[in-house]
Coordinates of all heavy atoms in Angstrom, one line a residue:
M1 N 3.7 12.6 -23.5 CA 2.7 12.1 -22.4 C 1.4 12.8 -22.5 O 1.2 14.0 -22.5 CB 3.3 12.4 -21.0 CG 2.3 12.0 -19.8 SD 3.0 12.4 -18.3 CE 1.6 12.0 -17.2
D2 N 0.3 12.0 -22.7 CA -1.0 12.5 -22.8 C -1.5 12.4 -21.3 O -1.9 11.3 -20.8 CB -1.9 11.7 -23.6 CG -3.2 12.2 -23.9 OD1 -3.6 13.2 -23.2 OD2 -4.0 11.7 -24.7
A3 N -1.9 13.5 -20.6 CA -2.3 13.6 -19.2 C -3.8 13.2 -19.0 O -4.2 13.3 -18.0 CB -1.9 14.9 -18.6
R4 N -4.5 13.2 -20.2 CA -5.9 12.9 -20.1 C -6.3 11.5 -19.7 O -5.6 10.6 -20.4 CB -6.6 13.3 -21.4 CG -6.5 14.9 -21.6 CD -7.0 15.2 -23.0 NE -6.2 14.5 -24.1 CZ -6.5 14.6 -25.4 NH1 -7.5 15.3 -25.9 NH2 -5.8 14.0 -26.2
F5 N -7.2 11.3 -19.0 CA -7.6 9.9 -18.7 C -8.6 9.4 -19.8 O -9.4 10.3 -20.4 CB -8.4 9.8 -17.3 CG -7.5 10.0 -16.2 CD1 -7.6 11.0 -15.2 CD2 -6.4 9.1 -16.0 CE1 -6.7 11.3 -14.2 CE2 -5.5 9.4 -14.8 CZ -5.8 10.4 -14.0
T6 N -8.5 8.1 -20.1 CA -9.5 7.6 -21.0 C -10.9 7.4 -20.5 O -11.0 7.6 -19.3 CB -8.9 6.3 -21.5 OG1 -9.0 5.4 -20.4 CG2 -7.6 6.3 -22.1
D7 N -11.9 7.1 -21.3 CA -13.1 6.9 -20.9 C -13.2 5.8 -19.9 O -14.0 5.8 -19.0 CB -14.1 6.8 -22.0 CG -14.2 8.1 -22.8 OD1 -14.1 9.2 -22.4 OD2 -14.7 7.9 -24.1
E8 N -12.6 4.8 -20.2 CA -12.5 3.6 -19.4 C -11.8 3.8 -18.0 O -12.4 3.3 -17.0 CB -11.6 2.5 -20.1 CG -12.2 1.8 -21.3 CD -12.1 2.7 -22.5 OE1 -11.4 3.7 -22.4 OE2 -12.6 2.4 -23.5
Q9 N -10.9 4.6 -18.0 CA -10.2 5.0 -16.7 C -11.2 5.8 -15.8 O -11.4 5.6 -14.6 CB -9.0 5.7 -16.9 CG -7.9 4.9 -17.4 CD -6.6 5.7 -17.9 OE1 -6.7 6.9 -18.2 NE2 -5.5 4.9 -18.1
D10 N -11.9 6.9 -16.5 CA -12.9 7.6 -15.8 C -14.0 6.7 -15.2 O -14.5 7.0 -14.1 CB -13.5 8.6 -16.7 CG -12.4 9.8 -16.8 OD1 -11.6 10.0 -16.0 OD2 -12.6 10.5 -18.0
E11 N -14.4 5.8 -16.1 CA -15.4 4.8 -15.6 C -15.1 4.0 -14.4 O -15.9 3.7 -13.4 CB -15.9 3.9 -16.7 CG -17.1 3.0 -16.5 CD -18.4 3.8 -16.2 OE1 -18.4 4.8 -16.6 OE2 -19.3 3.3 -15.6
I12 N -13.8 3.5 -14.4 CA -13.2 2.8 -13.2 C -13.5 3.6 -12.0 O -13.9 3.2 -10.8 CB -11.8 2.5 -13.4 CG1 -11.8 1.3 -14.6 CG2 -11.3 1.9 -12.2 CD1 -10.2 1.0 -14.9
R13 N -13.1 4.9 -12.0 CA -13.2 5.8 -10.8 C -14.5 5.9 -10.4 O -14.8 5.9 -9.2 CB -12.5 7.1 -11.2 CG -11.0 6.9 -11.6 CD -10.5 8.2 -11.9 NE -10.4 9.2 -10.9 CZ -9.8 10.4 -10.9 NH1 -9.2 10.8 -12.0 NH2 -9.8 11.3 -9.9
R14 N -15.5 6.3 -11.5 CA -16.8 6.7 -11.0 C -17.5 5.5 -10.5 O -18.3 5.5 -9.5 CB -17.5 7.1 -12.4 CG -18.9 7.6 -12.1 CD -19.5 8.3 -13.3 NE -19.3 7.6 -14.7 CZ -18.4 7.8 -15.6 NH1 -17.6 9.0 -15.4 NH2 -18.3 7.2 -16.7
T15 N -17.4 4.3 -11.1 CA -18.1 3.1 -10.6 C -17.7 2.7 -9.2 O -18.4 2.3 -8.5 CB -17.9 1.9 -11.7 OG1 -18.3 2.4 -13.0 CG2 -18.7 0.8 -11.3
L16 N -16.3 2.6 -9.1 CA -15.6 2.3 -7.8 C -16.2 3.3 -6.7 O -16.5 2.8 -5.6 CB -14.3 2.3 -7.9 CG -13.5 1.9 -6.7 CD1 -13.9 0.5 -6.1 CD2 -11.9 1.7 -7.0
R17 N -16.1 4.5 -7.0 CA -16.6 5.5 -6.0 C -18.1 5.3 -5.6 O -18.4 5.4 -4.4 CB -16.4 7.0 -6.5 CG -16.8 8.0 -5.4 CD -16.5 9.4 -5.7 NE -15.0 9.6 -5.8 CZ -14.3 10.8 -6.0 NH1 -15.1 11.9 -6.0 NH2 -13.2 10.8 -6.1
D18 N -18.9 5.1 -6.6 CA -20.3 4.9 -6.3 C -20.5 3.5 -5.3 O -21.3 3.6 -4.4 CB -21.1 4.7 -7.5 CG -21.2 5.9 -8.3 OD1 -20.9 7.0 -7.7 OD2 -21.6 5.8 -9.6
L19 N -19.8 2.5 -5.7 CA -19.9 1.3 -4.9 C -19.3 1.5 -3.5 O -20.1 1.1 -2.5 CB -19.1 0.2 -5.6 CG -19.1 -1.2 -4.8 CD1 -20.6 -1.6 -4.6 CD2 -18.2 -2.2 -5.6
L20 N -18.3 2.2 -3.4 CA -17.7 2.5 -2.0 C -18.6 3.4 -1.2 O -18.7 3.3 0.1 CB -16.2 3.0 -2.0 CG -15.2 1.9 -2.6 CD1 -13.9 2.5 -2.8 CD2 -15.1 0.7 -1.6
D21 N -19.2 4.4 -1.8 CA -20.1 5.2 -1.1 C -21.2 4.5 -0.5 O -21.7 4.8 0.5 CB -20.6 6.3 -2.0 CG -19.6 7.4 -2.3 OD1 -18.5 7.5 -1.6 OD2 -19.7 8.2 -3.2
K22 N -21.7 3.5 -1.2 CA -22.8 2.6 -0.8 C -22.5 1.5 0.2 O -23.2 1.2 1.2 CB -23.5 2.0 -1.9 CG -24.2 3.0 -2.9 CD -24.8 2.3 -4.1 CE -25.3 3.2 -5.2 NZ -25.8 2.5 -6.4
R23 N -21.3 1.0 0.0 CA -20.9 -0.3 0.8 C -19.8 0.1 1.9 O -19.6 -0.9 2.7 CB -20.4 -1.3 -0.1 CG -21.3 -1.8 -1.2 CD -22.3 -2.7 -0.6 NE -21.9 -3.8 -0.2 CZ -21.7 -5.0 -0.9 NH1 -22.0 -5.0 -2.1 NH2 -21.0 -6.0 -0.3
C24 N -19.2 1.2 1.9 CA -18.2 1.4 2.9 C -18.3 2.8 3.5 O -17.3 3.5 3.5 CB -16.7 1.3 2.2 SG -15.3 1.0 3.2
G25 N -19.3 2.9 4.1 CA -19.5 4.2 4.9 C -18.9 4.0 6.3 O -18.3 3.1 6.6
P26 N -19.0 5.1 7.1 CA -18.3 5.0 8.5 C -18.7 3.8 9.3 O -17.8 3.2 9.9 CB -18.7 6.3 9.2 CG -18.9 7.2 8.0 CD -19.6 6.4 6.9
Q27 N -20.0 3.4 9.4 CA -20.5 2.3 10.1 C -20.0 1.0 9.6 O -19.5 0.1 10.3 CB -21.9 2.3 10.2 CG -22.5 3.4 11.0 CD -24.1 3.4 11.1 OE1 -24.7 2.5 10.4 NE2 -24.5 4.2 12.0
E28 N -20.0 0.9 8.2 CA -19.6 -0.4 7.6 C -18.1 -0.5 7.7 O -17.5 -1.6 8.0 CB -20.0 -0.3 6.0 CG -21.3 -0.5 5.8 CD -22.1 0.8 5.8 OE1 -21.4 1.9 6.2 OE2 -23.3 0.9 5.5
L29 N -17.3 0.6 7.7 CA -15.9 0.6 7.9 C -15.5 0.0 9.2 O -14.6 -0.8 9.4 CB -15.3 2.0 7.7 CG -13.8 2.2 8.0 CD1 -12.9 1.3 7.2 CD2 -13.4 3.7 7.8
R30 N -16.2 0.5 10.2 CA -15.8 0.1 11.7 C -16.2 -1.4 11.9 O -15.5 -2.2 12.6 CB -16.6 1.0 12.6 CG -16.1 2.4 12.7 CD -16.9 3.3 13.5 NE -16.6 4.7 13.5 CZ -15.6 5.3 14.1 NH1 -14.8 4.6 15.0 NH2 -15.4 6.5 14.0
A31 N -17.2 -1.8 11.3 CA -17.7 -3.2 11.4 C -16.7 -4.1 10.7 O -16.4 -5.2 11.1 CB -19.0 -3.3 10.9
A32 N -16.1 -3.7 9.7 CA -15.2 -4.5 8.8 C -13.9 -4.6 9.6 O -13.3 -5.8 9.6 CB -14.9 -3.8 7.4
V33 N -13.3 -3.6 10.1 CA -12.0 -3.7 10.9 C -12.2 -4.5 12.2 O -11.2 -5.0 12.6 CB -11.5 -2.2 11.1 CG1 -11.3 -1.5 9.9 CG2 -12.3 -1.5 12.1
D34 N -13.3 -4.7 12.5 CA -13.5 -5.4 13.9 C -13.7 -7.0 13.6 O -13.9 -7.7 14.6 CB -14.7 -5.0 14.7 CG -14.6 -3.6 15.3 OD1 -13.4 -3.3 15.6 OD2 -15.6 -2.9 15.6
T35 N -13.8 -7.4 12.3 CA -13.8 -8.7 11.9 C -12.4 -9.4 12.1 O -11.4 -8.7 12.1 CB -14.5 -8.9 10.6 OG1 -13.5 -8.4 9.6 CG2 -15.8 -8.3 10.4
P36 N -12.4 -10.7 12.3 CA -11.1 -11.3 12.4 C -10.3 -11.1 11.2 O -9.1 -10.9 11.3 CB -11.5 -12.8 12.6 CG -12.9 -12.8 13.0 CD -13.5 -11.8 12.5
A37 N -10.9 -11.1 10.0 CA -10.0 -10.9 8.8 C -9.6 -9.4 8.6 O -8.5 -9.0 8.0 CB -10.7 -11.2 7.6
G38 N -10.3 -8.5 9.4 CA -10.0 -7.0 9.2 C -10.6 -6.3 7.9 O -10.3 -5.2 7.8
H39 N -11.4 -7.0 7.1 CA -12.0 -6.4 6.0 C -13.4 -7.2 5.8 O -13.6 -8.3 6.3 CB -11.1 -6.6 4.8 CG -10.8 -8.0 4.2 ND1 -9.7 -8.6 4.6 CD2 -11.5 -8.7 3.4 CE1 -9.7 -9.8 4.0 NE2 -10.8 -9.9 3.3
D40 N -14.2 -6.5 5.0 CA -15.5 -7.1 4.7 C -15.3 -8.0 3.4 O -15.1 -7.6 2.3 CB -16.4 -5.9 4.3 CG -17.8 -6.4 3.9 OD1 -18.1 -7.6 3.8 OD2 -18.7 -5.4 3.8
R41 N -15.5 -9.3 3.7 CA -15.4 -10.3 2.5 C -16.3 -10.0 1.4 O -16.1 -10.3 0.3 CB -15.4 -11.6 3.0 CG -14.2 -12.0 4.1 CD -14.2 -13.5 4.5 NE -13.2 -13.8 5.5 CZ -11.9 -14.1 5.2 NH1 -11.6 -14.2 3.9 NH2 -11.1 -14.4 6.2
A42 N -17.6 -9.7 1.9 CA -18.7 -9.5 0.9 C -18.2 -8.3 0.0 O -18.5 -8.3 -1.3 CB -20.0 -9.3 1.5
L43 N -17.7 -7.2 0.6 CA -17.2 -6.1 -0.3 C -16.0 -6.5 -1.2 O -16.1 -6.0 -2.3 CB -16.8 -5.0 0.7 CG -16.1 -3.7 -0.1 CD1 -17.3 -3.0 -0.9 CD2 -15.7 -2.7 1.0
W44 N -15.2 -7.2 -0.6 CA -14.1 -7.7 -1.5 C -14.5 -8.6 -2.6 O -14.2 -8.4 -3.8 CB -13.1 -8.5 -0.7 CG -11.9 -9.0 -1.5 CD1 -11.6 -10.3 -1.7 CD2 -10.9 -8.3 -2.3 NE1 -10.5 -10.5 -2.5 CE2 -10.1 -9.3 -2.9 CE3 -10.6 -7.0 -2.5 CZ2 -9.0 -9.0 -3.7 CZ3 -9.6 -6.6 -3.3 CH2 -8.7 -7.6 -3.9
T45 N -15.6 -9.5 -2.4 CA -16.2 -10.2 -3.5 C -16.8 -9.3 -4.6 O -16.7 -9.6 -5.8 CB -17.2 -11.2 -2.9 OG1 -16.6 -12.0 -2.0 CG2 -17.9 -12.0 -4.0
A46 N -17.5 -8.4 -4.1 CA -18.1 -7.3 -5.1 C -17.0 -6.5 -5.9 O -17.2 -6.4 -7.1 CB -19.0 -6.4 -4.3
L47 N -16.0 -6.1 -5.2 CA -14.9 -5.4 -5.9 C -14.2 -6.3 -6.9 O -13.8 -5.8 -8.0 CB -13.9 -4.9 -4.8 CG -14.3 -3.8 -3.9 CD1 -13.3 -3.5 -2.9 CD2 -14.7 -2.5 -4.7
A48 N -14.1 -7.5 -6.6 CA -13.4 -8.4 -7.5 C -14.3 -8.9 -8.5 O -13.9 -9.0 -9.7 CB -12.8 -9.6 -6.7
G49 N -15.5 -9.4 -8.2 CA -16.4 -10.1 -9.1 C -17.1 -9.1 -10.1 O -17.1 -9.3 -11.3
H50 N -17.5 -7.9 -9.5 CA -18.2 -7.0 -10.4 C -17.4 -5.9 -11.1 O -17.6 -5.6 -12.2 CB -19.2 -6.1 -9.5 CG -20.2 -7.0 -8.9 ND1 -21.1 -6.7 -7.8 CD2 -20.7 -8.4 -9.0 CE1 -21.8 -7.6 -7.4 NE2 -21.6 -8.6 -8.2
L51 N -16.2 -5.7 -10.5 CA -15.3 -4.7 -11.0 C -14.0 -5.2 -11.5 O -13.2 -4.5 -12.1 CB -15.0 -3.5 -10.0 CG -16.3 -2.7 -9.5 CD1 -15.9 -1.6 -8.6 CD2 -17.0 -2.1 -10.7
G52 N -13.5 -6.4 -11.1 CA -12.3 -7.1 -11.5 C -11.1 -6.3 -11.1 O -10.1 -6.1 -11.6
L53 N -11.2 -5.7 -9.8 CA -10.2 -4.9 -9.2 C -8.8 -5.6 -9.1 O -7.7 -5.1 -9.5 CB -10.6 -4.2 -8.0 CG -10.5 -2.7 -7.7 CD1 -11.2 -2.1 -8.8 CD2 -10.9 -2.4 -6.3
P54 N -8.8 -6.9 -8.6 CA -7.5 -7.4 -8.4 C -6.8 -7.7 -9.7 O -5.5 -7.9 -9.7 CB -7.8 -8.8 -7.8 CG -9.2 -8.6 -7.2 CD -9.9 -7.7 -8.1
G55 N -7.4 -7.8 -10.8 CA -6.8 -8.1 -12.1 C -6.7 -6.9 -13.0 O -6.4 -7.2 -14.2
L56 N -6.9 -5.7 -12.5 CA -6.8 -4.5 -13.3 C -5.5 -4.5 -14.1 O -5.4 -4.2 -15.4 CB -7.0 -3.3 -12.5 CG -8.3 -2.8 -12.2 CD1 -8.4 -1.5 -11.4 CD2 -9.1 -2.6 -13.5
A57 N -4.3 -4.8 -13.5 CA -2.9 -4.6 -14.1 C -2.3 -5.9 -14.4 O -1.2 -6.0 -14.8 CB -2.1 -3.9 -13.1
L58 N -3.2 -7.0 -14.5 CA -2.7 -8.2 -15.0 C -3.1 -8.5 -16.4 O -4.2 -8.1 -16.8 CB -3.3 -9.5 -14.1 CG -2.8 -9.5 -12.7 CD1 -3.6 -10.6 -11.9 CD2 -1.3 -9.8 -12.6
P59 N -2.2 -9.1 -17.2 CA -2.5 -9.5 -18.5 C -3.8 -10.3 -18.8 O -4.1 -11.1 -17.8 CB -1.3 -10.0 -19.2 CG -0.7 -10.7 -18.0 CD -1.0 -9.7 -16.8
E60 N -4.4 -10.2 -19.9 CA -5.7 -10.9 -20.2 C -5.4 -12.3 -20.3 O -6.2 -13.2 -19.9 CB -6.3 -10.4 -21.5 CG -6.8 -9.0 -21.4 CD -7.3 -8.6 -22.8 OE1 -7.5 -9.5 -23.7 OE2 -7.7 -7.4 -22.9
T61 N -4.3 -12.7 -20.6 CA -3.8 -14.3 -20.7 C -3.8 -14.9 -19.3 O -3.9 -16.1 -19.2 CB -2.4 -14.5 -21.3 OG1 -1.5 -13.6 -20.7 CG2 -2.5 -14.0 -22.8
C62 N -3.7 -14.0 -18.1 CA -3.7 -14.5 -16.9 C -5.0 -14.3 -16.2 O -5.1 -14.3 -14.9 CB -2.6 -13.8 -16.1 SG -0.9 -14.2 -16.7
G63 N -6.1 -13.9 -16.9 CA -7.4 -13.6 -16.4 C -7.6 -12.3 -15.9 O -8.7 -11.9 -15.4
G64 N -6.7 -11.3 -16.2 CA -6.8 -9.9 -15.8 C -7.5 -9.1 -16.9 O -8.0 -9.5 -17.9
A65 N -7.4 -7.9 -16.6 CA -8.1 -6.9 -17.6 C -7.2 -6.3 -18.6 O -7.6 -5.5 -19.5 CB -8.6 -5.7 -16.7
G66 N -5.9 -6.5 -18.5 CA -4.8 -6.1 -19.3 C -4.6 -4.6 -19.2 O -4.1 -4.0 -20.2

Side-chain angles (χ1 to χ4, degrees):
M1 173 184 177
D2 187 354
R4 295 172 298 180
F5 291 119
T6 65
D7 293 340
E8 291 80 5
Q9 290 169 340
D10 286 332
E11 183 63 22
I12 290 172
R13 301 175 66 172
R14 182 168 53 252
T15 305
L16 183 53
R17 180 172 297 192
D18 289 343
L19 178 60
L20 291 175
D21 284 345
K22 296 175 182 176
R23 300 283 298 270
C24 195
Q27 293 182 348
E28 292 84 357
L29 172 61
R30 293 174 186 276
V33 299
D34 287 338
T35 62
H39 66 266
D40 183 352
R41 295 184 184 274
L43 175 61
W44 177 243
T45 299
L47 294 175
H50 299 165
L51 303 182
L53 232 57
L56 276 180
L58 290 176
E60 295 180 5
T61 54
C62 297

